[in-house]
Amino acid sequence: AQSVAQPEDQVNVAEGNPLTVKCTYSVSGNPYLFWYVQYPNRGLQFLLKYITGDNLVKGSYGFEAEFNKSQTSFHLKKPSALVSDSALYFCAVRPHTGGFKTIFGAGTRLFVKA
Amino acid sequence: SQTIHQWPATLVQPVGSPLSLECTVEGTSNPNLYWYRQAAGRGLQLLFYSVGIGQISSEVPQNLSASRPQDRQFILSSKKLLLSDSGFYLCAWSWQGNWYTIYFGEGSWLTVV
């Protein structure tokens, strides 16, 4: 079955330190990969996507993600965390087959401490 | 640019009452439209999706229904709400021309009492 895993329910990091939020997937073929952020009581906001090409993708608010085909991973990163980055982050995968179904991970809560 | 509007933002409804949540998308044509529910501030559950007017696919059998009366309008309904229908409902859209990137509305908080 096709799936997306975000192995950490919560990530804690100090402000100014680098952050990584992990995502691995299990789908056939070469999927489209996405990251979203959700602030409390808000809808999900699109951060970045990988379609093809350079494995390092840059997105909004200084975030980037690295696609690793051999490890089927798409980890979200930021060189220097801000307290305002504290939010819920979702990884999502859209297989090239399977209709119109994008698969979302369960989410990882990021806490950035001042 | 494209925008998505979803309303109402919050509502409190008694058990057994009807429900109507509405969503419209502007700035695009023939989008794919979605209704998700998010429980306890975590995972997303896809409830319905639509690839065109009058075309609705249901992902989870439940007390809810969806309709798409116009190209950019998507409505989530219920004839009789249950307590278990409480949650955060998100409308979303995507488009083939943008690799099906999904864009979400601001959500609707439903509390059934």
PDB file of all heavy atoms in Angstrom, chain A residues 9 32 34 36 38 41-44 49 51 88 90 94 100-101 107 109, chain B residues 32 36 38 41-42 51 59 88 98-102 104-106 109:
ATOM      1  N   ASP A   9       6.497  12.552  16.090  1.00  0.00           N
ATOM      2  CA  ASP A   9       5.297  13.327  16.415  1.00  0.00           C
ATOM      3  C   ASP A   9       5.644  14.776  16.712  1.00  0.00           C
ATOM      4  O   ASP A   9       4.863  15.678  16.418  1.00  0.00           O
ATOM      5  CB  ASP A   9       4.599  12.728  17.634  1.00  0.00           C
ATOM      6  CG  ASP A   9       3.816  11.490  17.293  1.00  0.00           C
ATOM      7  OD1 ASP A   9       3.559  11.255  16.102  1.00  0.00           O
ATOM      8  OD2 ASP A   9       3.457  10.748  18.218  1.00  0.00           O
ATOM      9  N   TYR A  32       5.274  13.079  -6.962  1.00  0.00           N
ATOM     10  CA  TYR A  32       5.432  14.477  -6.611  1.00  0.00           C
ATOM     11  C   TYR A  32       5.426  14.549  -5.079  1.00  0.00           C
ATOM     12  O   TYR A  32       4.645  13.857  -4.420  1.00  0.00           O
ATOM     13  CB  TYR A  32       4.275  15.315  -7.159  1.00  0.00           C
ATOM     14  CG  TYR A  32       4.105  15.258  -8.647  1.00  0.00           C
ATOM     15  CD1 TYR A  32       2.840  15.361  -9.219  1.00  0.00           C
ATOM     16  CD2 TYR A  32       5.188  15.117  -9.503  1.00  0.00           C
ATOM     17  CE1 TYR A  32       2.664  15.326 -10.594  1.00  0.00           C
ATOM     18  CE2 TYR A  32       5.022  15.080 -10.874  1.00  0.00           C
ATOM     19  CZ  TYR A  32       3.757  15.179 -11.414  1.00  0.00           C
ATOM     20  OH  TYR A  32       3.572  15.148 -12.770  1.00  0.00           O
ATOM     21  N   PHE A  34       5.507  17.082  -1.462  1.00  0.00           N
ATOM     22  CA  PHE A  34       5.095  18.392  -0.985  1.00  0.00           C
ATOM     23  C   PHE A  34       5.313  18.507   0.523  1.00  0.00           C
ATOM     24  O   PHE A  34       5.265  17.514   1.251  1.00  0.00           O
ATOM     25  CB  PHE A  34       3.598  18.626  -1.251  1.00  0.00           C
ATOM     26  CG  PHE A  34       3.164  18.401  -2.673  1.00  0.00           C
ATOM     27  CD1 PHE A  34       2.799  17.136  -3.111  1.00  0.00           C
ATOM     28  CD2 PHE A  34       3.105  19.451  -3.567  1.00  0.00           C
ATOM     29  CE1 PHE A  34       2.397  16.924  -4.422  1.00  0.00           C
ATOM     30  CE2 PHE A  34       2.704  19.258  -4.875  1.00  0.00           C
ATOM     31  CZ  PHE A  34       2.344  17.986  -5.305  1.00  0.00           C
ATOM     32  N   TYR A  36       3.733  21.095   3.723  1.00  0.00           N
ATOM     33  CA  TYR A  36       2.771  22.110   4.124  1.00  0.00           C
ATOM     34  C   TYR A  36       3.016  22.467   5.583  1.00  0.00           C
ATOM     35  O   TYR A  36       3.497  21.642   6.370  1.00  0.00           O
ATOM     36  CB  TYR A  36       1.343  21.585   3.990  1.00  0.00           C
ATOM     37  CG  TYR A  36       0.884  21.359   2.583  1.00  0.00           C
ATOM     38  CD1 TYR A  36       1.205  20.188   1.902  1.00  0.00           C
ATOM     39  CD2 TYR A  36       0.128  22.315   1.919  1.00  0.00           C
ATOM     40  CE1 TYR A  36       0.790  19.973   0.601  1.00  0.00           C
ATOM     41  CE2 TYR A  36      -0.304  22.108   0.615  1.00  0.00           C
ATOM     42  CZ  TYR A  36       0.035  20.945  -0.033  1.00  0.00           C
ATOM     43  OH  TYR A  36      -0.395  20.741  -1.315  1.00  0.00           O
ATOM     44  N   GLN A  38       0.927  24.241   9.022  1.00  0.00           N
ATOM     45  CA  GLN A  38      -0.376  24.641   9.553  1.00  0.00           C
ATOM     46  C   GLN A  38      -0.184  25.330  10.887  1.00  0.00           C
ATOM     47  O   GLN A  38       0.361  24.747  11.827  1.00  0.00           O
ATOM     48  CB  GLN A  38      -1.303  23.440   9.704  1.00  0.00           C
ATOM     49  CG  GLN A  38      -2.708  23.820  10.146  1.00  0.00           C
ATOM     50  CD  GLN A  38      -3.616  22.626  10.327  1.00  0.00           C
ATOM     51  OE1 GLN A  38      -3.178  21.551  10.694  1.00  0.00           O
ATOM     52  NE2 GLN A  38      -4.903  22.820  10.056  1.00  0.00           N
ATOM     53  N   ASN A  41      -5.586  26.701  14.190  1.00  0.00           N
ATOM     54  CA  ASN A  41      -6.901  27.120  13.699  1.00  0.00           C
ATOM     55  C   ASN A  41      -6.855  27.721  12.295  1.00  0.00           C
ATOM     56  O   ASN A  41      -7.701  28.546  11.947  1.00  0.00           O
ATOM     57  CB  ASN A  41      -7.543  28.120  14.663  1.00  0.00           C
ATOM     58  CG  ASN A  41      -7.742  27.518  16.036  1.00  0.00           C
ATOM     59  OD1 ASN A  41      -8.161  26.382  16.181  1.00  0.00           O
ATOM     60  ND2 ASN A  41      -7.382  28.278  17.057  1.00  0.00           N
ATOM     61  N   ARG A  42      -5.879  27.333  11.511  1.00  0.00           N
ATOM     62  CA  ARG A  42      -5.754  27.811  10.144  1.00  0.00           C
ATOM     63  C   ARG A  42      -5.725  26.632   9.185  1.00  0.00           C
ATOM     64  O   ARG A  42      -5.505  25.477   9.571  1.00  0.00           O
ATOM     65  CB  ARG A  42      -4.465  28.628   9.973  1.00  0.00           C
ATOM     66  CG  ARG A  42      -4.325  29.805  10.911  1.00  0.00           C
ATOM     67  CD  ARG A  42      -5.319  30.918  10.596  1.00  0.00           C
ATOM     68  NE  ARG A  42      -5.153  31.467   9.276  1.00  0.00           N
ATOM     69  CZ  ARG A  42      -4.280  32.419   8.974  1.00  0.00           C
ATOM     70  NH1 ARG A  42      -3.474  32.910   9.886  1.00  0.00           N
ATOM     71  NH2 ARG A  42      -4.210  32.875   7.730  1.00  0.00           N
ATOM     72  N   GLY A  43      -5.921  26.934   7.909  1.00  0.00           N
ATOM     73  CA  GLY A  43      -5.751  25.906   6.900  1.00  0.00           C
ATOM     74  C   GLY A  43      -4.274  25.623   6.655  1.00  0.00           C
ATOM     75  O   GLY A  43      -3.406  26.336   7.146  1.00  0.00           O
ATOM     76  N   LEU A  44      -3.998  24.573   5.905  1.00  0.00           N
ATOM     77  CA  LEU A  44      -2.616  24.234   5.568  1.00  0.00           C
ATOM     78  C   LEU A  44      -2.106  25.199   4.510  1.00  0.00           C
ATOM     79  O   LEU A  44      -2.809  25.534   3.554  1.00  0.00           O
ATOM     80  CB  LEU A  44      -2.516  22.807   5.032  1.00  0.00           C
ATOM     81  CG  LEU A  44      -2.501  21.679   6.044  1.00  0.00           C
ATOM     82  CD1 LEU A  44      -3.825  21.508   6.727  1.00  0.00           C
ATOM     83  CD2 LEU A  44      -2.078  20.373   5.372  1.00  0.00           C
ATOM     84  N   LYS A  49       7.574  22.114  -3.106  1.00  0.00           N
ATOM     85  CA  LYS A  49       7.306  20.841  -3.759  1.00  0.00           C
ATOM     86  C   LYS A  49       8.527  20.394  -4.567  1.00  0.00           C
ATOM     87  O   LYS A  49       9.338  21.210  -4.985  1.00  0.00           O
ATOM     88  CB  LYS A  49       6.085  20.911  -4.675  1.00  0.00           C
ATOM     89  CG  LYS A  49       6.213  21.851  -5.862  1.00  0.00           C
ATOM     90  CD  LYS A  49       4.980  21.732  -6.747  1.00  0.00           C
ATOM     91  CE  LYS A  49       5.006  22.739  -7.893  1.00  0.00           C
ATOM     92  NZ  LYS A  49       4.483  24.050  -7.485  1.00  0.00           N
ATOM     93  N   ILE A  51       9.200  18.164  -7.973  1.00  0.00           N
ATOM     94  CA  ILE A  51       8.586  17.511  -9.128  1.00  0.00           C
ATOM     95  C   ILE A  51       9.652  16.698  -9.865  1.00  0.00           C
ATOM     96  O   ILE A  51       9.492  15.507 -10.093  1.00  0.00           O
ATOM     97  CB  ILE A  51       7.946  18.542 -10.073  1.00  0.00           C
ATOM     98  CG1 ILE A  51       6.902  19.373  -9.311  1.00  0.00           C
ATOM     99  CG2 ILE A  51       7.329  17.842 -11.286  1.00  0.00           C
ATOM    100  CD1 ILE A  51       5.785  18.561  -8.699  1.00  0.00           C
ATOM    101  N   LEU A  88       2.544  22.988  12.923  1.00  0.00           N
ATOM    102  CA  LEU A  88       2.364  21.591  12.533  1.00  0.00           C
ATOM    103  C   LEU A  88       2.750  21.456  11.060  1.00  0.00           C
ATOM    104  O   LEU A  88       2.284  22.233  10.230  1.00  0.00           O
ATOM    105  CB  LEU A  88       0.902  21.188  12.751  1.00  0.00           C
ATOM    106  CG  LEU A  88       0.481  19.741  12.533  1.00  0.00           C
ATOM    107  CD1 LEU A  88       1.279  18.793  13.411  1.00  0.00           C
ATOM    108  CD2 LEU A  88      -1.004  19.601  12.814  1.00  0.00           C
ATOM    109  N   PHE A  90       3.211  19.069   7.579  1.00  0.00           N
ATOM    110  CA  PHE A  90       2.728  17.870   6.889  1.00  0.00           C
ATOM    111  C   PHE A  90       3.540  17.629   5.629  1.00  0.00           C
ATOM    112  O   PHE A  90       3.743  18.539   4.817  1.00  0.00           O
ATOM    113  CB  PHE A  90       1.259  18.027   6.478  1.00  0.00           C
ATOM    114  CG  PHE A  90       0.290  18.007   7.613  1.00  0.00           C
ATOM    115  CD1 PHE A  90      -0.141  19.183   8.197  1.00  0.00           C
ATOM    116  CD2 PHE A  90      -0.204  16.806   8.100  1.00  0.00           C
ATOM    117  CE1 PHE A  90      -1.039  19.167   9.240  1.00  0.00           C
ATOM    118  CE2 PHE A  90      -1.107  16.774   9.147  1.00  0.00           C
ATOM    119  CZ  PHE A  90      -1.522  17.959   9.720  1.00  0.00           C
ATOM    120  N   ARG A  94       2.114  12.656  -3.984  1.00  0.00           N
ATOM    121  CA  ARG A  94       1.124  12.332  -5.003  1.00  0.00           C
ATOM    122  C   ARG A  94       1.752  11.364  -5.998  1.00  0.00           C
ATOM    123  O   ARG A  94       2.620  11.745  -6.777  1.00  0.00           O
ATOM    124  CB  ARG A  94       0.622  13.564  -5.746  1.00  0.00           C
ATOM    125  CG  ARG A  94      -0.532  13.212  -6.682  1.00  0.00           C
ATOM    126  CD  ARG A  94      -0.995  14.380  -7.483  1.00  0.00           C
ATOM    127  NE  ARG A  94      -2.186  14.037  -8.245  1.00  0.00           N
ATOM    128  CZ  ARG A  94      -2.190  13.420  -9.422  1.00  0.00           C
ATOM    129  NH1 ARG A  94      -1.047  13.091  -9.984  1.00  0.00           N
ATOM    130  NH2 ARG A  94      -3.319  13.155 -10.046  1.00  0.00           N
ATOM    131  N   PHE A 100      -6.624  10.904  -8.243  1.00  0.00           N
ATOM    132  CA  PHE A 100      -6.357  12.248  -7.760  1.00  0.00           C
ATOM    133  C   PHE A 100      -6.081  12.258  -6.273  1.00  0.00           C
ATOM    134  O   PHE A 100      -6.437  13.183  -5.577  1.00  0.00           O
ATOM    135  CB  PHE A 100      -7.554  13.140  -8.081  1.00  0.00           C
ATOM    136  CG  PHE A 100      -7.750  13.313  -9.561  1.00  0.00           C
ATOM    137  CD1 PHE A 100      -8.547  12.438 -10.268  1.00  0.00           C
ATOM    138  CD2 PHE A 100      -7.119  14.331 -10.239  1.00  0.00           C
ATOM    139  CE1 PHE A 100      -8.723  12.579 -11.630  1.00  0.00           C
ATOM    140  CE2 PHE A 100      -7.290  14.493 -11.602  1.00  0.00           C
ATOM    141  CZ  PHE A 100      -8.093  13.619 -12.296  1.00  0.00           C
ATOM    142  N   LYS A 101      -5.455  11.239  -5.776  1.00  0.00           N
ATOM    143  CA  LYS A 101      -5.303  11.118  -4.343  1.00  0.00           C
ATOM    144  C   LYS A 101      -3.899  11.479  -3.913  1.00  0.00           C
ATOM    145  O   LYS A 101      -2.940  10.763  -4.202  1.00  0.00           O
ATOM    146  CB  LYS A 101      -5.626   9.699  -3.911  1.00  0.00           C
ATOM    147  CG  LYS A 101      -7.064   9.303  -4.207  1.00  0.00           C
ATOM    148  CD  LYS A 101      -7.353   7.882  -3.789  1.00  0.00           C
ATOM    149  CE  LYS A 101      -8.762   7.480  -4.222  1.00  0.00           C
ATOM    150  NZ  LYS A 101      -9.077   6.094  -3.837  1.00  0.00           N
ATOM    151  N   GLY A 107       1.633  14.286  10.253  1.00  0.00           N
ATOM    152  CA  GLY A 107       2.021  15.590  10.779  1.00  0.00           C
ATOM    153  C   GLY A 107       3.078  15.492  11.863  1.00  0.00           C
ATOM    154  O   GLY A 107       3.117  14.523  12.633  1.00  0.00           O
ATOM    155  N   ARG A 109       4.749  18.042  14.870  1.00  0.00           N
ATOM    156  CA  ARG A 109       4.639  19.335  15.544  1.00  0.00           C
ATOM    157  C   ARG A 109       6.046  19.837  15.860  1.00  0.00           C
ATOM    158  O   ARG A 109       6.838  19.133  16.494  1.00  0.00           O
ATOM    159  CB  ARG A 109       3.808  19.206  16.811  1.00  0.00           C
ATOM    160  CG  ARG A 109       3.308  20.537  17.345  1.00  0.00           C
ATOM    161  CD  ARG A 109       2.216  20.356  18.380  1.00  0.00           C
ATOM    162  NE  ARG A 109       1.015  19.734  17.850  1.00  0.00           N
ATOM    163  CZ  ARG A 109       0.069  20.373  17.171  1.00  0.00           C
ATOM    164  NH1 ARG A 109       0.200  21.654  16.910  1.00  0.00           N
ATOM    165  NH2 ARG A 109      -1.004  19.732  16.755  1.00  0.00           N
TER     166      ARG A 109
ATOM    167  N   ASN B  32      -9.782  20.523  -9.512  1.00  0.00           N
ATOM    168  CA  ASN B  32     -10.196  19.404  -8.667  1.00  0.00           C
ATOM    169  C   ASN B  32     -10.500  20.000  -7.291  1.00  0.00           C
ATOM    170  O   ASN B  32      -9.756  20.845  -6.800  1.00  0.00           O
ATOM    171  CB  ASN B  32      -9.085  18.370  -8.547  1.00  0.00           C
ATOM    172  CG  ASN B  32      -8.741  17.740  -9.881  1.00  0.00           C
ATOM    173  OD1 ASN B  32      -9.592  17.601 -10.754  1.00  0.00           O
ATOM    174  ND2 ASN B  32      -7.486  17.388 -10.058  1.00  0.00           N
ATOM    175  N   TYR B  36     -11.724  17.821   3.246  1.00  0.00           N
ATOM    176  CA  TYR B  36     -11.001  17.042   4.231  1.00  0.00           C
ATOM    177  C   TYR B  36     -11.580  17.325   5.616  1.00  0.00           C
ATOM    178  O   TYR B  36     -12.121  18.400   5.880  1.00  0.00           O
ATOM    179  CB  TYR B  36      -9.516  17.437   4.272  1.00  0.00           C
ATOM    180  CG  TYR B  36      -8.686  16.992   3.096  1.00  0.00           C
ATOM    181  CD1 TYR B  36      -8.606  17.764   1.939  1.00  0.00           C
ATOM    182  CD2 TYR B  36      -7.940  15.809   3.155  1.00  0.00           C
ATOM    183  CE1 TYR B  36      -7.822  17.365   0.869  1.00  0.00           C
ATOM    184  CE2 TYR B  36      -7.149  15.416   2.090  1.00  0.00           C
ATOM    185  CZ  TYR B  36      -7.099  16.195   0.950  1.00  0.00           C
ATOM    186  OH  TYR B  36      -6.312  15.802  -0.100  1.00  0.00           O
ATOM    187  N   GLN B  38     -10.148  17.217   9.674  1.00  0.00           N
ATOM    188  CA  GLN B  38      -8.965  17.075  10.502  1.00  0.00           C
ATOM    189  C   GLN B  38      -9.427  16.938  11.944  1.00  0.00           C
ATOM    190  O   GLN B  38     -10.101  17.809  12.480  1.00  0.00           O
ATOM    191  CB  GLN B  38      -8.045  18.287  10.368  1.00  0.00           C
ATOM    192  CG  GLN B  38      -6.750  18.155  11.126  1.00  0.00           C
ATOM    193  CD  GLN B  38      -5.845  19.352  10.916  1.00  0.00           C
ATOM    194  OE1 GLN B  38      -6.298  20.446  10.628  1.00  0.00           O
ATOM    195  NE2 GLN B  38      -4.540  19.148  11.052  1.00  0.00           N
ATOM    196  N   GLY B  41      -6.448  18.208  15.610  1.00  0.00           N
ATOM    197  CA  GLY B  41      -5.309  18.992  15.172  1.00  0.00           C
ATOM    198  C   GLY B  41      -4.194  18.198  14.552  1.00  0.00           C
ATOM    199  O   GLY B  41      -3.046  18.637  14.551  1.00  0.00           O
ATOM    200  N   ARG B  42      -4.515  17.016  14.028  1.00  0.00           N
ATOM    201  CA  ARG B  42      -3.447  16.232  13.435  1.00  0.00           C
ATOM    202  C   ARG B  42      -3.809  15.779  12.014  1.00  0.00           C
ATOM    203  O   ARG B  42      -3.881  16.592  11.135  1.00  0.00           O
ATOM    204  CB  ARG B  42      -3.128  15.037  14.341  1.00  0.00           C
ATOM    205  CG  ARG B  42      -2.484  15.444  15.649  1.00  0.00           C
ATOM    206  CD  ARG B  42      -1.266  16.301  15.448  1.00  0.00           C
ATOM    207  NE  ARG B  42      -0.150  15.591  14.893  1.00  0.00           N
ATOM    208  CZ  ARG B  42       0.888  15.145  15.602  1.00  0.00           C
ATOM    209  NH1 ARG B  42       0.915  15.343  16.895  1.00  0.00           N
ATOM    210  NH2 ARG B  42       1.900  14.522  15.008  1.00  0.00           N
ATOM    211  N   VAL B  51     -13.816  15.969  -9.686  1.00  0.00           N
ATOM    212  CA  VAL B  51     -13.015  16.349 -10.849  1.00  0.00           C
ATOM    213  C   VAL B  51     -13.822  17.167 -11.834  1.00  0.00           C
ATOM    214  O   VAL B  51     -13.287  17.606 -12.851  1.00  0.00           O
ATOM    215  CB  VAL B  51     -12.410  15.111 -11.532  1.00  0.00           C
ATOM    216  CG1 VAL B  51     -11.523  14.345 -10.555  1.00  0.00           C
ATOM    217  CG2 VAL B  51     -13.502  14.207 -12.088  1.00  0.00           C
ATOM    218  N   GLU B  59     -14.809   9.105  -0.203  1.00  0.00           N
ATOM    219  CA  GLU B  59     -13.735   8.255   0.292  1.00  0.00           C
ATOM    220  C   GLU B  59     -14.133   7.452   1.515  1.00  0.00           C
ATOM    221  O   GLU B  59     -13.624   6.365   1.752  1.00  0.00           O
ATOM    222  CB  GLU B  59     -12.511   9.115   0.644  1.00  0.00           C
ATOM    223  CG  GLU B  59     -11.792   9.660  -0.563  1.00  0.00           C
ATOM    224  CD  GLU B  59     -11.159   8.558  -1.384  1.00  0.00           C
ATOM    225  OE1 GLU B  59     -10.259   7.878  -0.893  1.00  0.00           O
ATOM    226  OE2 GLU B  59     -11.598   8.363  -2.540  1.00  0.00           O
ATOM    227  N   PHE B  88     -12.711  19.894  12.346  1.00  0.00           N
ATOM    228  CA  PHE B  88     -12.222  20.995  11.523  1.00  0.00           C
ATOM    229  C   PHE B  88     -12.284  20.538  10.072  1.00  0.00           C
ATOM    230  O   PHE B  88     -11.634  19.555   9.694  1.00  0.00           O
ATOM    231  CB  PHE B  88     -10.793  21.334  11.945  1.00  0.00           C
ATOM    232  CG  PHE B  88     -10.242  22.600  11.374  1.00  0.00           C
ATOM    233  CD1 PHE B  88     -10.956  23.784  11.427  1.00  0.00           C
ATOM    234  CD2 PHE B  88      -8.987  22.628  10.791  1.00  0.00           C
ATOM    235  CE1 PHE B  88     -10.445  24.961  10.910  1.00  0.00           C
ATOM    236  CE2 PHE B  88      -8.454  23.804  10.268  1.00  0.00           C
ATOM    237  CZ  PHE B  88      -9.189  24.972  10.332  1.00  0.00           C
ATOM    238  N   ASN B  98      -0.494  22.656 -12.308  1.00  0.00           N
ATOM    239  CA  ASN B  98       0.451  22.973 -11.237  1.00  0.00           C
ATOM    240  C   ASN B  98       0.835  21.693 -10.509  1.00  0.00           C
ATOM    241  O   ASN B  98       0.974  21.685  -9.293  1.00  0.00           O
ATOM    242  CB  ASN B  98      -0.164  23.992 -10.284  1.00  0.00           C
ATOM    243  CG  ASN B  98       0.878  24.622  -9.389  1.00  0.00           C
ATOM    244  OD1 ASN B  98       2.074  24.550  -9.655  1.00  0.00           O
ATOM    245  ND2 ASN B  98       0.440  25.207  -8.288  1.00  0.00           N
ATOM    246  N   TRP B  99       0.930  20.604 -11.277  1.00  0.00           N
ATOM    247  CA  TRP B  99       1.308  19.301 -10.742  1.00  0.00           C
ATOM    248  C   TRP B  99       0.429  18.868  -9.572  1.00  0.00           C
ATOM    249  O   TRP B  99       0.872  18.184  -8.664  1.00  0.00           O
ATOM    250  CB  TRP B  99       2.779  19.290 -10.308  1.00  0.00           C
ATOM    251  CG  TRP B  99       3.683  19.552 -11.454  1.00  0.00           C
ATOM    252  CD1 TRP B  99       4.085  18.650 -12.400  1.00  0.00           C
ATOM    253  CD2 TRP B  99       4.284  20.811 -11.790  1.00  0.00           C
ATOM    254  NE1 TRP B  99       4.910  19.275 -13.301  1.00  0.00           N
ATOM    255  CE2 TRP B  99       5.048  20.596 -12.957  1.00  0.00           C
ATOM    256  CE3 TRP B  99       4.263  22.067 -11.224  1.00  0.00           C
ATOM    257  CZ2 TRP B  99       5.761  21.603 -13.569  1.00  0.00           C
ATOM    258  CZ3 TRP B  99       4.978  23.077 -11.827  1.00  0.00           C
ATOM    259  CH2 TRP B  99       5.724  22.837 -12.986  1.00  0.00           C
ATOM    260  N   TYR B 100      -0.808  19.294  -9.627  1.00  0.00           N
ATOM    261  CA  TYR B 100      -1.792  18.900  -8.619  1.00  0.00           C
ATOM    262  C   TYR B 100      -1.400  19.326  -7.201  1.00  0.00           C
ATOM    263  O   TYR B 100      -1.769  18.664  -6.230  1.00  0.00           O
ATOM    264  CB  TYR B 100      -2.037  17.391  -8.672  1.00  0.00           C
ATOM    265  CG  TYR B 100      -2.666  16.955  -9.982  1.00  0.00           C
ATOM    266  CD1 TYR B 100      -1.934  16.224 -10.918  1.00  0.00           C
ATOM    267  CD2 TYR B 100      -3.974  17.287 -10.282  1.00  0.00           C
ATOM    268  CE1 TYR B 100      -2.506  15.833 -12.114  1.00  0.00           C
ATOM    269  CE2 TYR B 100      -4.550  16.903 -11.480  1.00  0.00           C
ATOM    270  CZ  TYR B 100      -3.814  16.173 -12.390  1.00  0.00           C
ATOM    271  OH  TYR B 100      -4.377  15.789 -13.569  1.00  0.00           O
ATOM    272  N   THR B 101      -0.688  20.422  -7.092  1.00  0.00           N
ATOM    273  CA  THR B 101      -0.431  20.981  -5.764  1.00  0.00           C
ATOM    274  C   THR B 101      -1.765  21.337  -5.129  1.00  0.00           C
ATOM    275  O   THR B 101      -2.608  21.978  -5.746  1.00  0.00           O
ATOM    276  CB  THR B 101       0.434  22.245  -5.868  1.00  0.00           C
ATOM    277  OG1 THR B 101       1.640  21.931  -6.562  1.00  0.00           O
ATOM    278  CG2 THR B 101       0.756  22.788  -4.493  1.00  0.00           C
ATOM    279  N   ILE B 102      -1.986  20.904  -3.913  1.00  0.00           N
ATOM    280  CA  ILE B 102      -3.255  21.150  -3.244  1.00  0.00           C
ATOM    281  C   ILE B 102      -3.153  22.434  -2.423  1.00  0.00           C
ATOM    282  O   ILE B 102      -2.200  22.615  -1.669  1.00  0.00           O
ATOM    283  CB  ILE B 102      -3.642  19.960  -2.351  1.00  0.00           C
ATOM    284  CG1 ILE B 102      -3.925  18.737  -3.234  1.00  0.00           C
ATOM    285  CG2 ILE B 102      -4.875  20.298  -1.521  1.00  0.00           C
ATOM    286  CD1 ILE B 102      -4.341  17.498  -2.457  1.00  0.00           C
ATOM    287  N   PHE B 104      -5.330  24.926   0.269  1.00  0.00           N
ATOM    288  CA  PHE B 104      -6.394  24.779   1.246  1.00  0.00           C
ATOM    289  C   PHE B 104      -7.055  26.107   1.582  1.00  0.00           C
ATOM    290  O   PHE B 104      -6.418  27.172   1.574  1.00  0.00           O
ATOM    291  CB  PHE B 104      -5.836  24.179   2.547  1.00  0.00           C
ATOM    292  CG  PHE B 104      -5.461  22.739   2.436  1.00  0.00           C
ATOM    293  CD1 PHE B 104      -4.231  22.353   1.929  1.00  0.00           C
ATOM    294  CD2 PHE B 104      -6.352  21.746   2.836  1.00  0.00           C
ATOM    295  CE1 PHE B 104      -3.878  21.011   1.820  1.00  0.00           C
ATOM    296  CE2 PHE B 104      -6.006  20.409   2.739  1.00  0.00           C
ATOM    297  CZ  PHE B 104      -4.779  20.042   2.229  1.00  0.00           C
ATOM    298  N   GLY B 105      -8.337  26.019   1.923  1.00  0.00           N
ATOM    299  CA  GLY B 105      -9.024  27.133   2.518  1.00  0.00           C
ATOM    300  C   GLY B 105      -8.652  27.264   3.985  1.00  0.00           C
ATOM    301  O   GLY B 105      -7.849  26.477   4.508  1.00  0.00           O
ATOM    302  N   GLU B 106      -9.269  28.241   4.648  1.00  0.00           N
ATOM    303  CA  GLU B 106      -8.922  28.514   6.036  1.00  0.00           C
ATOM    304  C   GLU B 106      -9.616  27.587   7.028  1.00  0.00           C
ATOM    305  O   GLU B 106      -9.308  27.605   8.205  1.00  0.00           O
ATOM    306  CB  GLU B 106      -9.250  29.968   6.371  1.00  0.00           C
ATOM    307  CG  GLU B 106      -8.261  30.966   5.783  1.00  0.00           C
ATOM    308  CD  GLU B 106      -6.857  30.724   6.306  1.00  0.00           C
ATOM    309  OE1 GLU B 106      -6.683  30.602   7.545  1.00  0.00           O
ATOM    310  OE2 GLU B 106      -5.921  30.647   5.488  1.00  0.00           O
ATOM    311  N   TRP B 109     -14.667  25.342  11.614  1.00  0.00           N
ATOM    312  CA  TRP B 109     -14.785  24.571  12.850  1.00  0.00           C
ATOM    313  C   TRP B 109     -16.256  24.253  13.087  1.00  0.00           C
ATOM    314  O   TRP B 109     -17.071  25.145  13.217  1.00  0.00           O
ATOM    315  CB  TRP B 109     -14.261  25.376  14.044  1.00  0.00           C
ATOM    316  CG  TRP B 109     -12.801  25.220  14.285  1.00  0.00           C
ATOM    317  CD1 TRP B 109     -11.825  26.134  14.070  1.00  0.00           C
ATOM    318  CD2 TRP B 109     -12.153  24.064  14.812  1.00  0.00           C
ATOM    319  NE1 TRP B 109     -10.595  25.629  14.426  1.00  0.00           N
ATOM    320  CE2 TRP B 109     -10.773  24.342  14.883  1.00  0.00           C
ATOM    321  CE3 TRP B 109     -12.600  22.797  15.227  1.00  0.00           C
ATOM    322  CZ2 TRP B 109      -9.839  23.435  15.352  1.00  0.00           C
ATOM    323  CZ3 TRP B 109     -11.668  21.896  15.698  1.00  0.00           C
ATOM    324  CH2 TRP B 109     -10.309  22.204  15.747  1.00  0.00           C
TER     325      TRP B 109
END
